[in-house]
Structure formats: C-alpha cells, structure tokens
Amino acid sequence: MREVLEAVDGSALYRWAHACVTGIEKRCEEINDLNVFPVPDADTGTNLLATLRAAVRAAEPLSTDERGSDASAVARALARGAVTGARGNSGAILSQVLRGFAETTTSRRLDADVLRSALRRASDLALEAVSVPMEGTIVTVLAAAADTVAGEDATAPLSRVATSAADAAAEALLRTPSQLAVLGAAGVVDAGGRGLVVILDALVEVVCGAAPAREAFLPPAGETAATGSEHTCGPAHVVHEVAGQDYEVMYLVAESDRERIADLRARLCSLGDSVVIVGDGSDEAPTWSVHVHCSDAGGAVEAGLEAGRLHDVRITCFVLDAARAEIPDVTPPRAVLSVVEGPEAAELFEQEGAHVLRSDGAVTPDELLTAIRGTGRREVVVLPNGALPAQDLIAVGAQARADARDVVFLPSSSMVQALAALAVHDTGRLAVDDAFAMSEAAAATRWGSLRIADERALTYVGTCEPGDGLGLVGHEVVVIERDVVAAGCRLVDLVLGAGGELVTVLLGAQATEGLGERVADYITSRHPGVEVMVYRGGQSRDLLQFGVE
C-alpha cells in the first residue's frame, strides 16, 4: 500500500525536486524534439534539466533539519537556485514556478490550500516575466492548472488537488497546437508545456506514490514543420526565418531595482523578442535573470550594464549552432575528465557533464591513462586538480597521444578551479579555444582551503599545534587559529581582499554541522554583494575548499 501524503514537508519537497530532475532526464529527448517555438533549436528539455539541477544544488547545503522537515526553507532554496541557474526561455519561466511555491509556502509543510496558492502565484509571476505572453505555451498550460485547482472543493485533499493540476496541465497541453499556429503547422505540442506536465506529474508521484501514466507527446511519423523541413532538424536558414533574431542572450543582474529592471525590459523589447526577466523575490539583495532573442547581442549586454551589475553572461548564436547541426559528426565531441575527491563532489562534476576519476587516496599515472581512454573520445580535456606532478602528466599525455588522442591538461590545482573551468566549457568551440577559455577561468579563480593540523609544524606564518585550524591559499598556510571557524573567516577575508563576485564552497567529509552555513553567513555580512554557493564535496582532508571568482 502506497502512502498518500496530506501535506508535504521539506523532505518530500526535496524528493519532488529530485523526481523532477529524473523525469526531465527521461523525457529530455522527447521535449527537445517538440521544440519549435520560439525558435526550433531543440534545447527546451536540456534547458529545463539544467535549471532543475541548479535548483537541487542550491538546496543541498541546507541543514539536516531544514532539508528534512522545513518545506519553506527548501522551497526558497529551490527558487533561488532556479533563478540564478535558469537556462533559456523555458528555464526562466520554470524558475517562477518554483518561486511561486517559495512565496506561498510560509510554514514547514505544504498542504492543498498552499498548493492552490502556489500555482496561482506561479501563473501570475510567469505572466509578469514574459513581455509578450503567447497562447499555447507553458504559460497557458500553467494557467490552466492554476484555474482548475482554484475550482476544486475547499475540503479536497492534497492528493486530489495535485492530481487535478497535473491532469489539467496535460489536457491544456493537447490544446496548444490549436492555439499557436507554429505548433499546429509542425504537428507538435508546446515543449515547455510538456516539461511542466512532467514536473506536476512528479509532484503527484511524491504525494500519491505513483505518477500518472502518460503517452509520449511526439509528432506523428513523417510530420513536417511549417518550413517544410523535418521537425527534429534545425537548419540555419530556418532558424533565422522563424526567429528573426541571431542571438540568445542571458545574464544575471544584481544591485538593481524594479524601476531600472522595468527600463531594461523596455530596452530589450526594442532590441529583440522573447524577452523574459525573472527575479528571485529577495527583499534585501535581489537578483534578476534576463533572457532575450536579438540581432545585437552587444546592445543587449550594454542595456544590462546600465541596469545593474552583470554576471554569468551567456550568448548563443542560433545560426551558428544550427549550421553546426547540419555538419555530420565525423568524430564524437570532446570529453572533459576531472580528478575528483569525495562522493558528493563526484556527483556534482558528473551533473556538470564531466567524466570523473575518483582520487580518494591517490591517483596513479596508469589510472589516469585508463580513465582518458575510458571516455571513448578522441579529444580529452583533463582537469588534474593537483593530483599528479607535472612530469607524470607529461608522460600520460605522451602515451594517450600515441593512441591518436588529442589530450590537453589544464593548469587546475583544485576542484573549485575545475568547477570554474567547467562553467565556461563549450564543445561548440575549437578545442584550442575551449581549452584557452577554461584555462583562463581556472587561473582567474583564487582558491583556499581550511583544514585541521594533525601535528606540530613550522609554517610560513608561525608554528601550528595539533587541532589548530589552518587556512591555506593555494598550498601555503596563511592563517593559524585555535578556532576552526575563526580560521575560515580570516581566510575568507584574505582571499576576498582582492575583490570577487562569487564564492564557491565545497564542504569536506569532516566538516561539522553548520560550518558551511556559518562561513557563508560571514561572507554575506562582511562582503555585501558577493554571491555564495555551498555544496557538499565529501573530500577527506579539507574541511572546506573555496574558490573566488
């Protein structure tokens, strides 16, 4: 007998987020194949998946109590992660669905009444975010779910409300081809709406114990798009004709306000279309995620610079991507292989698309060579993260190249530098250009670590005793404090003394409960405007490792 929940606590909400990731992973190709609006670039499923993964990562650092029982804390973390990690038009709108849950889940549990309010708030936020809402899109499907549950009996249990929302969304999805001409011509339903159905079905699965059974919403065999091309392809001239714009521009805006964001929206609407601007709802230091399709990417970025402080700028050229899709792949795309310590860190790197070689203990040259060969790719970019000396890397590279592989070792000395490099990795670039961009990102990331001294030793800043907290910048001890948290805070001040916008923290296996939270709170209080992301790494020696960008 499956348990049916009458309310969702933090643990169940966290399970829902993971179920959403799993569901989109299974349907990602289907959703990408449905993607014809606003441009047929076949990435809606990919964007939804990246956004959801960012949401889950933001909730991972919550304390055991919060993640276990406090639905409000989990909802806020999911929304914050989704906004800052939003990818594409659909990802930005999805972030507002999660924000709707965050703003209405004000207690430790989410019940039927809260779900009704959450869907209504999510629908309102999505409509506000999209500059020109179109019938037949994810916004329409979301509104149908919100309207349906609003009409449910006030005494209806959570299981009924959740099921009604998912069924209403699925029914609305089937109507989208008759509401949006480009969908009808292609014989498909809206891709973003399909993703929303997956997400609501995942909620039903968590609440009721089983997800609704639904058929794939694929186009009929042989169905063609309005352009006359097969739906699953995306030739460059077709994309340009459909979209009328060459670039997708996305970035995050901080240190701004509603008036300047409104001005930014107007500027972007004059430059292009598909303008979506979403906020994280924070009162103290709000962040907005901005999305636009335009022919003047530089103008879109300049408009953002006038609105506030920009970071995480991403520019995609539709025409170039579509042209690449037309070129047959003669070799598989290159792989990124990272040496990683800790189980949670390994999972994090895999989520970012990297192949992982675990270094819990030590890594031998033979193990690295085997891992390179195991990628199955001709081009391999390796992030060694200080696991092997330079002479061993040179020897491994020579052996790998003897197998007709092109191997590039990047100068990364830590996992946080490797994460920075992965963030700019782009298989669409030439290998040399990609390696250069990744190397720059790694080199620009100042990094430090916090550990406990296990013996008495003479360091650059004095003598440490067993049990002292040691703060290292790179491989040099620069802080000795008897109190470990104090050592971490002093270390943060030293590294952030040269400036920085983003601090990424990886918690080690021996980190005490609340260590990451205390250090993060210290950073935000002493260094306003600096964004902090905390992840579980599970590395054995460092209590925490952090990088500053």
Side-chain angles (χ1 to χ4, degrees), residues 266-426:
R267 285 279 305 278
L268 294 179
C269 285
S270 69
L271 286 171
D273 53 33
S274 296
V275 177
V276 180
I277 301 180
V278 298
D280 61 5
S282 172
D283 293 327
E284 295 182 0
T287 296
W288 286 268
S289 178
V290 177
H291 172 280
V292 63
H293 293 168
C294 62
S295 57
D296 182 4
V301 173
E302 288 176 2
L305 289 170
E306 294 178 11
R309 180 172 59 83
L310 299 197
H311 57 104
D312 200 11
V313 178
R314 301 183 299 277
I315 300 175
T316 301
C317 178
F318 294 127
V319 176
L320 182 58
D321 282 356
R324 286 171 179 155
E326 289 291 279
I327 302 173
D329 286 334
V330 294
T331 57
R334 64 183 155 277
V336 175
L337 172 65
S338 183
V339 180
V340 173
E341 182 184 1
E344 293 94 341
E347 182 179 353
L348 177 60
F349 274 80
E350 287 170 349
Q351 288 176 350
E352 294 298 322
H355 295 255
V356 166
L357 172 60
R358 291 282 294 275
S359 65
D360 303 342
V363 170
T364 66
D366 285 343
E367 288 173 335
L368 180 56
L369 179 61
T370 299
I372 291 171
R373 291 169 173 166
T375 65
R377 310 294 175 87
R378 186 178 64 83
E379 294 179 348
V380 184
V381 176
V382 180
L383 296 162
N385 302 335
L388 288 170
Q391 60 268 28
D392 285 345
L393 297 179
I394 292 171
V396 170
Q399 290 177 279
R401 293 182 189 103
D403 297 337
R405 286 184 170 82
D406 292 333
V407 180
V408 178
F409 292 94
L410 300 189
S412 62
S413 300
S414 63
M415 289 191 291
V416 285
Q417 287 182 311
L419 286 173
L422 270 176
V424 300
H425 169 54
D426 182 359

